[in-house]
Amino acid sequence: MSDMRAEPDGVRTGPASQQGMRRANLALVLGVIASGPRSRAEVAAETGLTRAAVSSLAEQLISAGLVVEEGPAAPSGKVGRPGTALGLNPLGPGGLGAEIGVRHLGVCVVDLRGEVRAWRRRESANRGRQPAAVLADLAQLVRAAVAESGLRPAGLTLAVPGLVGASGVLQRAANLGWQDIPLAAELRPALRLAGDRLAELPVEADNEANLGGLAERWLGGSPEDFLYVSAEAGVGAAVVVGGRLLRGARGYAGELGHVPVHPEGPRCACGAHGCLEQYAGEAAVLRAAGLAGVRGDWVTLLAERAGAGDEPARAALAGAGSALGIAAAGAVNLLDPARVVLGGGYARLAPWLLPAMRRELAARVTVRPWAEDRLTVSRLGRRGALLGAAVGVVRAIVADPGPLTGG
């Protein structure tokens, strides 16, 4: 996996106290080690700390199971015996991500290096089901994935297709039929039944597109400023500015699916008319392709049909691409991102979406010419949200290992 170092301001300097300084220095040392194995001398040189301080901090990180000694460091060209390289412990605390989709459940466990140690996905018709029943099924999947990984998770982040406020409450998930669900509080009883240790985990929740956008920044090679657009049942987006997610005043930024592209169009589940989701969401595209009511994986079905030359499927995707281009052009004119990235289900459908999107962007973006290479496809595909959830947990450990070290 690529560099796991946290963003520069991820290190919390804390108060000017001995404990606060030590906690900040633990994060500083772990951040350097996270970018690749280093000897103690190399860590000291990169951080500006003394060799003695680095040795003390490294021992604390080793005792906490976050760092291991990997053997002789790579030759540095200096005379003398090479030091011992310090690296992230692949058997240390892990990151746990979980996902609730309209048609599936997913769980991912990664180690401190961000390497996937367990990946579980199960088809599940969750639309209209009671949250408690869905969360009970998810908890069992979590238990199986954690057992497979052999790691001790340090936290769990849950990706959901809806509006999640700063408090972690799912305000509304129209495609699930849920609203006002305190996800962490609802998940804990299910985790307790699945395993006592799991119930003690810190639990956070976020919108699936937000987590997909973060994964794109961390793992996908995207620049610091980009618009991430994804789809499963609905249409979501994440706006990343300066390498950070733009959340908005209440945490609800990125609802591109409810931007009107044709104001006199059909009524949306949100109550408005002509939203992007009515042209580029699952139900709309299947209906346009003559596949309304079809169950199963709609993305795979459409990709297979379009790939085989099915004209209704191709026309439906072209129409979706046009609507996506109109909405994306508005966002580009407002935000001027360096790139627009198609992720989630759209990554699989990109060959049939991109031509119409490019035409609309070229015609509507005010700063011309529109460069086609500013519209790209995520290499993470439909794995983005779950990877973002799990990797975010270990990045938080690297940014502040204090809670796990007693620092």
Side-chain angles (χ1 to χ4, degrees):
M1 176 174 167
S2 61
D3 187 351
M4 288 289 296
R5 189 191 302 239
E7 300 296 337
D9 62 354
V11 176
R12 304 174 188 175
T13 57
S17 66
Q18 184 175 2
Q19 184 178 5
M21 288 298 294
R22 187 167 187 84
R23 186 163 175 171
N25 287 336
L26 282 166
L28 186 61
V29 169
L30 188 60
V32 170
I33 295 170
S35 65
R38 301 284 200 282
S39 69
R40 289 167 174 81
E42 289 171 328
V43 173
E46 291 189 44
T47 61
L49 299 172
T50 66
R51 290 277 297 272
V54 168
S55 292
S56 175
L57 294 164
E59 289 309 311
Q60 193 170 350
L61 292 169
I62 290 171
S63 296
L66 299 174
V67 168
V68 292
E69 294 185 329
E70 297 188 346
S76 63
K78 295 182 179 180
V79 177
R81 183 178 176 182
T84 301
L86 301 173
L88 293 177
N89 184 0
L91 301 178
L96 177 56
E99 182 178 20
I100 297 174
V102 173
R103 298 178 183 270
H104 75 279
L105 298 172
V107 179
C108 172
V109 182
V110 299
D111 61 26
L112 279 173
R113 303 168 303 179
E115 301 293 334
V116 175
R117 301 293 293 273
W119 186 280
R120 297 279 179 119
R121 180 184 168 103
R122 191 176 83 190
E123 299 306 307
S124 176
N126 297 321
R127 191 192 304 270
R129 291 183 70 199
Q130 288 299 309
V134 175
L135 292 170
D137 288 348
L138 181 66
Q140 292 300 326
L141 203 62
V142 166
R143 181 180 182 180
V146 170
E148 178 187 341
S149 74
L151 300 181
R152 174 174 53 87
L156 185 157
T157 297
L158 176 60
V160 289
L163 297 173
V164 181
S167 62
V169 173
L170 176 64
Q171 185 195 46
R172 179 170 56 85
N175 289 310
L176 287 173
W178 296 1
Q179 65 179 36
D180 298 325
I181 308 296
L183 291 167
E186 294 277 347
L187 183 56
R188 286 195 185 285
L191 289 173
R192 186 167 291 109
L193 290 174
D196 290 341
R197 289 179 58 192
L198 295 176
E200 305 305 318
L201 290 177
V203 177
E204 296 184 359
D206 206 343
N207 174 266
E208 62 179 0
N210 283 345
L211 292 167
L214 288 172
E216 186 63 28
R217 169 62 185 149
W218 298 333
L219 311 174
S222 284
E224 289 196 340
D225 299 274
F226 65 95
L227 172 68
Y228 174 84
V229 184
S230 69
E232 284 302 327
V235 181
V239 181
V240 178
V241 179
R244 297 187 171 278
L245 196 64
L246 178 66
R247 292 189 176 275
R250 295 178 297 162
Y252 302 143
E255 283 296 296
L256 191 70
H258 297 288
V259 168
V261 293
H262 299 295
E264 303 304 318
R267 187 177 181 86
C268 181
C270 74
H273 287 265
C275 295
L276 173 61
E277 201 162 292
Q278 294 304 301
Y279 299 92
E282 172 192 358
V285 181
L286 287 175
R287 185 170 56 249
L291 299 170
V294 170
R295 301 191 178 191
D297 186 346
W298 70 283
V299 171
T300 299
L301 173 63
L302 280 171
E304 290 175 348
R305 294 256 183 149
D310 184 90
E311 286 304 322
R314 290 189 170 195
L317 290 170
S322 178
L324 282 165
I326 293 171
V332 169
N333 286 332
L334 180 65
L335 301 168
D336 190 29
R339 192 176 297 173
V340 176
V341 182
L342 286 184
Y346 287 151
R348 177 82 185 275
L349 299 172
W352 305 281
L353 296 171
L354 289 175
M357 285 191 72
R358 287 176 176 143
R359 284 194 297 272
E360 296 291 352
L361 285 161
R364 296 173 184 274
V365 172
T366 55
V367 179
R368 297 174 181 167
W370 165 261
E372 287 193 355
D373 61 1
R374 290 177 65 189
L375 176 60
T376 64
V377 180
S378 172
R379 67 188 187 199
L380 303 178
R382 301 173 83 176
R383 295 164 61 90
L386 202 44
L387 284 171
V391 170
V393 174
V394 296
R395 286 179 64 88
I397 295 171
V398 172
D400 184 11
L404 298 179
T405 62

